[in-house]
Amino acid sequence: DTEVTQTPKHLVMGMTNKKSLKCEQHMGHRAMYWYKQKAKKPPELMFVYSYEKLSINESVPSRFSPECPNSSLLNLHLHALQPEDSALYLCASSQENLGRAGYTFGSGTRLTVV
Amino acid sequence: DQQVKQNSPSLSVQEGRISILNCDYTNSMFDYFLWYKKYPAEGPTFLISISSIKDKNEDGRFTVFLNKSAKHLSLHIVPSQPGDSAVYFCAAPLISNFGNEKLTFGTGTRLTIIP
């Protein structure tokens, strides 16, 4: 299995809703990442987990809450989002927490906040 | 502060010809670069990389050139094929405030191959 699987592919949520994005990989990668991508912009790093521990939080607002239940799973819990949070949310993984290792990305979750 | 820049947002190339995508960087501490390709509604996929100890790396139709003195790299695709139509990002690992590497991406170039 050489894939990163993200669910759901699309999500529409209201500003008072609570929802979660899920990411799964079975490649034995020890680092997992959440990126956010707005239209016509590059992916921007949000969080990094290394060996199931949060190692980077890029000053992301607390309405985004990551969770790494085990080495294969990464969740992003969403609460009280704003319309400007609408974006493509990408999960990625790599063998180690090294940018040069080359990341494997999932297809993303297209989030729309209404 | 965009440390990796792709100044051409879009590029159109005839099928069979050479596509040249450019990337400039400002941080002289960068010592490794990667190119990713992204189709709509999919995540980026790794294409090719280069270490700063080299000035060229080749993989099939894809070649990346690095000019350290100019802080410039380019991706050459030859011959270009319709399936190469995608957005291409150059990226570089950056040491974060937390002391480990994170990948920073350029702004991307949309390549369209004209049949």
Side-chain angles (χ1 to χ4, degrees), chain B residues 75-86:
Chain B
L75 174 68
H76 292 213
I77 307 172
V78 56
S80 300
Q81 299 174 354
D84 297 328
S85 296

Side-chain angles (χ1 to χ4, degrees), chain A:
Chain A
D1 189 352
T2 58
E3 289 187 347
V4 172
T5 303
Q6 289 187 245
T7 55
K9 292 196 182 303
H10 301 274
L11 179 63
V12 179
M13 60 185 290
M15 289 188 283
T16 58
N17 291 161
K18 283 186 181 181
K19 296 286 185 184
S20 296
L21 309 185
K22 296 186 184 303
C23 175
E24 190 168 1
Q25 57 88 12
H26 296 286
M27 294 176 281
H29 288 176
R30 304 317 302 255
M32 295 185 77
Y33 313 84
W34 280 115
Y35 275 82
K36 173 182 177 179
Q37 186 179 21
K38 303 277 277 185
K40 300 189 191 305
K41 297 286 188 182
E44 292 181 359
L45 183 65
M46 300 175 71
F47 301 104
V48 178
Y49 273 83
S50 179
Y51 290 85
E52 301 163 46
K53 292 192 185 326
L54 182 65
S55 66
I56 294 181
N57 176 343
E58 290 285 279
S59 302
V60 180
S62 60
R63 57 185 184 270
F64 296 91
S65 175
E67 178 197 19
C68 189
N70 60 55
S71 60
S72 299
L73 293 174
L74 185 66
N75 298 322
L76 186 63
H77 302 297
L78 313 173
H79 174 55
L81 294 195
Q82 303 296 311
E84 59 264 29
D85 296 321
S86 298
L88 180 67
Y89 288 84
L90 294 162
C91 174
S93 69
S94 62
Q95 189 71 30
E96 297 288 341
N97 183 10
L98 283 174
R100 67 195 65 211
Y103 297 172
T104 301
F105 281 88
S107 297
T109 295
R110 174 72 59 187
L111 174 68
T112 303
V113 181
V114 297

Side-chain angles (χ1 to χ4, degrees), chain B:
Chain B
D1 178 22
Q2 193 67 36
Q3 299 190 54
V4 181
K5 301 177 187 179
Q6 294 172 258
N7 292 320
S8 299
S10 62
L11 175 68
S12 294
V13 174
Q14 206 78 31
E15 181 179 358
R17 306 295 290 267
I18 183 170
S19 295
I20 300 176
L21 296 101
N22 293 305
C23 180
D24 297 296
Y25 60 96
T26 56
N27 191 336
S28 57
M29 298 298 290
F30 285 150
D31 64 355
Y32 200 88
F33 301 90
L34 306 94
W35 284 94
Y36 281 81
K37 173 181 177 179
K38 186 179 185 301
Y39 292 119
E42 293 186 15
T45 54
F46 170 72
L47 201 52
I48 192 170
S49 61
I50 188 166
S51 165
S52 62
I53 63 172
K54 294 185 173 182
D55 54 19
K56 177 182 173 182
N57 189 25
E58 192 171 352
D59 184 2
R61 295 186 298 114
F62 302 90
T63 303
V64 56
F65 296 91
L66 176 61
N67 182 334
K68 290 186 286 295
S69 60
K71 296 194 180 69
H72 176 83
L73 63 156
S74 60
L75 174 68
H76 292 213
I77 307 172
V78 56
S80 300
Q81 299 174 354
D84 297 328
S85 296
V87 178
Y88 290 79
F89 292 98
C90 65
L94 181 67
I95 299 297
S96 73
N97 294 335
F98 303 86
N100 45 17
E101 279 191 354
K102 65 177 186 178
L103 206 55
T104 188
F105 287 86
T107 45
T109 296
R110 180 176 300 280
L111 176 65
T112 302
I113 305 302
I114 305 163

